Amino acid sequence: MKVYMKELRLSTSKRFELVDITAEVEKIVAESGVCKGMVLVFAPHATAAIIANEHEAGLLEDIVTWIREHFQPERGWMHNRIDDNAHAHLASAFIGASRVFPVWDCRLVRGTWQNIMLVEMDGPRTRRVIVEVMGE
Ligand code: ZN
């Protein structure tokens, strides 16, 4: 089995922001030489998430609205006594900081409307995304 790993670094510019990393992840899959297997896309962060969905401006705003409504940044969360980002921890915990995709015919398999995005919820800051391709 082949295992190939690369790390992306990106800078976010807003508190809430979706960053499309599809092209970078697909490039890493292509250079990995893996033709049958899977790829893990993992953000080593407790206040960000990884999702796969349509990159359409209105939907990106809807996703941020949904996160704000469900995880309520202004609410008096306990964690906000020491840090001002409980909403981002909760959203990361429940949305998830990773996604896995199949790799087949040497390509990442995804739906037409499934772009891979980092969800920033406590920006702006520098974020890392680990992309690990496994297979043969
Ligand atoms: Zn915190």
Side-chain angles (χ1 to χ4, degrees), residues 20-89:
D20 195 321
I21 55 171
T22 311
E24 289 88 342
V25 174
E26 289 186 335
K27 184 168 168 261
I28 293 168
V29 171
E31 70 194 28
S32 75
V34 171
C35 289
K36 290 184 173 74
M38 57 182 75
V39 56
L40 168 72
V41 182
F42 171 73
H45 298 288
T47 56
I50 300 288
I51 62 168
N53 219 286
E54 184 175 356
H55 187 159
E56 186 276 318
L59 182 65
L60 301 192
E61 279 190 45
D62 292 338
I63 289 169
V64 170
T65 299
W66 185 89
I67 291 169
R68 284 181 183 278
E69 283 179 8
H70 285 78
F71 298 103
Q72 306 177 51
E74 314 311 325
R75 183 170 159 177
W77 299 109
M78 304 286 274
H79 180 66
N80 288 346
R81 293 180 305 186
I82 60 152
D83 205 357
D84 192 29
N85 61 1
H87 71 279
H89 286 276

